[in-house]
Amino acid sequence: MSVLGEPANLTFDLREIPFSTRGSWLNLSPVTALHTRTDAVHLVSHRNGMHAVLRLDPLRDGDIVATSWTASPSVFSWQAGQGIIEASFETTDAIRLRGVGLGLQLSDAAGGLTPFTGTYLFVDPLDDAPTFTSYETGRRYRVTSRLGSVEAHGAEALGVASRTVVLGGDGLPWEATVEEIGTAAVPISSAASFDEVASAQASAFAGFVDAIAPWRDARTPAAALAAYVLWSATVAPEGFMQRESVLMSKHWMDKLWSWDHCFNALAIAPGLTGLAVDQFLVPFDHQDASGALPDSITHSEVLRNYVKPPIHGWALRRLRATAERPLSRPELEEIHDRLTAWTRFWLDYRRRPGHALPYYQHGNDSGWDNSTTFDRDRLIESPDLAGFLALQVEVLAELSAELGRPAQEWTTARDELIAAMLGQLWTGEEFVAIGALSGQRSTSSSLLNLLPLVLGERLPAEVRSSMVAHLLDHLTDHGPATEPVTSPHYESDGYWRGPIWAPSTALIEDGLRASGFTEVADIVNARFRALCEQSGFAENFDAVSGAGLRDRAYTWTAAVYLMFAADFVRRAG
């Protein structure tokens, strides 16, 4: 678990959270691929996917030495005895390095060079800078010495060979910069010292924390670390990312999915509304002619084999309520038009003829990939989908009226969706999904079936009360499990078949408040905050032990912590 604290003294475990900076597509981490953690720090690039490009090994007298690692938002260091190496981001594409008492070996992480894969090393005659080239990222990695010795070994070697650059191999102090560049770039020539570079990074992060979490205090000890997870996972516009964007992680989940982004936007909105609006709109830049959003976006890939649930109306309402400033009319007009097309997709392309309710084609469409609700049928008319869409058309009605656009269509659609959901998916005791083709009922044990709570008082009181009674079956000491631990289908590390997730917890907590069950909402809020303070910002958590699972630096988890913590401080005063 990472050490908690304020920006000035915040440290964290590099094995869980990568070292990076806002705007960069690079990071330092021992995590090099899906569920793969090595014993060495690597320079990892997220251009064209996640690729460990260079392995970084501290040296003494030519031998690799064991070191302790220390990471803060501004500096990462290796230390062995009196020897130390430090790293800080000089720019978003350049890392400044310096060492005293230790050298540093930068090695080709690919291991072999073929006509289509691997890394090549040469010394550029233009400036004598050793330069690695990577097929995987399509970029070059130039090493510029500022002080001390630099040696290239294996330059111009082909095939399987050792390719390394050694900094400070003679044992004397050294300093250098490693840059990710394209085909060519003007040599970096900053007059700033290493300490000035690190100070600038510390100031940038402190400003970010102060903007989005000015309310933090001793009752919210993980707020600064949560802000770092968001700050460090933010990338500059490039490739298919047309706006500054917060990735889900700078580990292997280095994408933006078309519902994840909503939670990150909500965490950022109270202090950086412009960035939050961009975050909200990122997937809409790739909206297709049907109005559908892509499933996910990365630097070099847009996937359309699935979609994600329409929580955007729900998110927009909260974003506007918590933003530091009112959204401008041009922002609202763009959002209105994008949200209209996204809503029309569900009404026009995802309803069986003669049916009032929309359907998912697969669990992935819901974001709950393997939820037990999808065990009997994959194509289902699901209560969560109906509830989200009903809220979205209501928000569209309000926004349309505000902008002087026709609104009655959306009000009518809301009423019809809620009536159909209650008439067809409510059994009298619980919500179920219905197979869009088979007509058979789903199982009802998944937490997914309780998400219509977000509709609040639009649902009859007896429906809300029954749903909350079922919710208590999911509630563990750490929060709402996605499948009750008493269920025969429960799996401790079963993705959406047991673990606690941030987005489901956020939606349930909000639904409880909207439905009038504030005491239960307070319990959910408190338990999730405690879970993050204990186990960090993992992709999901074991519902019984609270242990973090899968990717350990997940931005929507950090975002929901910040949302909950801000709300808690505001309520508590």
Side-chain angles (χ1 to χ4, degrees), residues 290-485:
S290 73
L293 300 182
D295 180 65
S296 63
I297 311 165
T298 64
H299 177 273
S300 303
E301 174 187 84
V302 177
L303 296 183
R304 300 189 183 276
N305 48 332
Y306 298 107
V307 292
K308 285 294 175 275
I311 67 167
H312 302 81
W314 170 85
L316 177 62
R317 177 176 278 161
R318 175 160 181 146
L319 189 156
R320 295 188 69 184
T322 60
E324 63 169 336
R325 62 164 175 82
L327 271 59
S328 67
R329 186 174 181 90
E331 287 173 332
L332 292 174
E333 287 177 339
E334 179 178 9
I335 290 171
H336 172 275
D337 294 348
R338 299 289 196 175
L339 202 59
T340 295
W342 175 224
T343 304
R344 288 251 58 96
F345 162 77
W346 288 100
L347 296 176
D348 296 346
Y349 293 92
R350 285 296 182 89
R351 290 197 292 187
R352 188 176 182 181
H355 287 225
L357 295 173
Y359 59 85
Y360 292 130
Q361 294 175 343
H362 185 278
N364 289 0
D365 284 349
S366 73
W368 294 52
D369 311 358
N370 64 337
S371 161
T372 54
T373 302
F374 293 89
D375 281 359
R376 292 177 181 166
D377 291 276
R378 259 54 68 198
L379 280 83
I380 59 172
E381 296 171 355
S382 182
D384 67 302
L385 175 55
F388 294 149
L389 198 59
L391 268 186
Q392 187 154 296
V393 295
E394 179 178 280
V395 170
L396 262 179
E398 295 168 354
L399 183 55
S400 297
E402 181 180 349
L403 296 174
R405 312 277 186 92
Q408 185 57 48
E409 171 191 7
W410 304 122
T411 301
T412 301
R414 177 202 59 194
D415 295 343
E416 291 175 348
L417 284 165
I418 293 175
M421 181 176 66
L422 290 170
Q424 299 172 37
L425 305 183
W426 181 250
T427 68
E429 296 182 357
E430 59 192 3
F431 277 114
V432 295
I434 299 293
L437 294 175
S438 71
Q440 68 177 338
R441 289 182 176 182
S442 72
T443 58
S444 59
S445 58
S446 175
L447 188 68
L448 181 74
N449 295 44
L450 300 179
L451 293 183
L453 273 172
V454 296
L455 287 170
E457 294 184 356
R458 299 164 192 81
L459 296 176
E462 62 272 18
V463 171
R464 286 178 273 140
S465 295
S466 181
M467 293 175 74
V468 173
H470 285 294
L471 172 64
L472 297 179
D473 294 335
H474 292 260
L475 198 58
T476 75
D477 290 343
H478 305 289
T482 46
E483 185 77 14
V485 297

Side-chain angles (χ1 to χ4, degrees), residues 171 203 506 573:
S203 295

Side-chain angles (χ1 to χ4, degrees), residues 62-86:
D63 295 324
I64 295 174
V65 294
T67 57
S68 60
W69 300 348
T70 302
S72 74
S74 58
V75 177
F76 171 73
S77 64
W78 299 258
Q79 191 160 5
Q82 298 301 308
I84 187 170
I85 300 169
E86 295 174 294

